[in-house]
Amino acid sequence: MMILVGVGCGLAAIAALMLHVVFRPVAKPLSAADLERAGVKGVISETKPLSAVDRNAIKDAFLAGPDFKWLAGGSASSDEVHRQVTHYMIECVLRYGKQYGTVLTIRDDDDNALLGSLCLVPPYKSNLLRKAHFLRSVLSLGTPEPYRLGKGCKARFDAFTGGTEAAHHEAVHNRPHWYVGCLGVADCAQGKGVGKRLIEAAIKISAGAPLYLECHDGNVPFYEHRGFKREKQIQLVPEGLDDEFPYNAMVHWG
């Protein structure tokens, strides 16, 4: 019996070690020294999770975009449903970026208020591992918020996640690449070059490796102007709904 208990404890320890290895980040978060070596100035690598105030400022910045408005149901959705869907989607990316990448920010010199942020995740050799890391980072959120908000929200969410995931590695031809998530600029900093500085920082950090992101049609010119190429246009088609939405897989090839 003692032998069996010992074997059981040994197997449990091995399983725990394997999980630790599997869910370990593929690279350390970028440090201030890393940013300096890349020639990035005026951008901060956040070492601690963003405060609730900062997170809400970034989440609210995405309320103006048509993509999350569509996810919430378009013009038929209430402001509250739109806000819930948007906040959930950005919270997912912030968690993934913090746990497995780096959250880059620009802050006001006087009061340290958050002006903009960008999540940057380093290249993976395995697409399966990337998916596992993302799922682990959002697991504690429980059931996806759109699933709680009716069949329409659920159908659009499934179309969004399925469509973007299918296009992701196809757009980069299955090459290891950096991933940009939720480049957002606070309302008070719109039009002041904050987004431009953040995406240019990501380009410098990627150092010639592919840099991938997704965006709605309205943001395509912004990224094309900075060297990104639209590799694939995704038609998001919710099951059972006549309500397609175009989305774009963008790659900066270095």
Side-chain angles (χ1 to χ4, degrees), residues 48-59:
K48 297 179 180 179
L50 297 179
S51 69
V53 172
D54 288 343
R55 297 172 95 84
N56 285 335
I58 293 304
K59 292 172 184 178

Side-chain angles (χ1 to χ4, degrees), residues 19-100:
L19 285 173
H20 173 73
V21 171
V22 167
F23 290 118
R24 182 173 56 195
V26 297
K28 293 181 179 180
L30 296 167
S31 65
D34 292 327
L35 300 190
E36 186 175 354
R37 280 192 291 271
V40 174
K41 298 180 180 179
V43 174
I44 301 166
S45 173
E46 297 286 344
T47 57
K48 297 179 180 179
L50 297 179
S51 69
V53 172
D54 288 343
R55 297 172 95 84
N56 285 335
I58 293 304
K59 292 172 184 178
D60 286 347
F62 284 86
L63 290 172
D67 41 4
F68 297 139
K69 182 68 174 176
W70 172 82
L71 266 173
S75 58
S77 67
S78 68
D79 289 344
E80 181 55 29
V81 168
H82 180 201
R83 185 176 183 278
Q84 285 178 263
V85 170
T86 301
H87 277 222
Y88 172 79
M89 298 296 285
I90 302 306
E91 180 64 25
C92 287
V93 180
L94 287 173
R95 288 185 179 218
Y96 178 48
K98 180 58 184 172
Q99 191 162 353
Y100 290 106

Side-chain angles (χ1 to χ4, degrees), residues 28 49-50 54 57 98 107 121 134-135 138 157-158 185 213 217 231-232 239 248 254:
K28 293 181 179 180
L50 297 179
D54 288 343
K98 180 58 184 172
R107 293 183 176 275
V121 179
F134 180 82
L135 290 173
V138 302
F157 177 77
D158 287 343
V185 178
L213 57 84
D217 286 355
E231 288 294 337
K232 191 173 181 62
E239 185 176 357
N248 304 280

Side-chain angles (χ1 to χ4, degrees), residues 71 146-147 149-159:
L71 266 173
Y147 278 36
L149 298 171
K151 292 182 179 179
C153 276
K154 179 182 182 299
R156 290 183 181 87
F157 177 77
D158 287 343

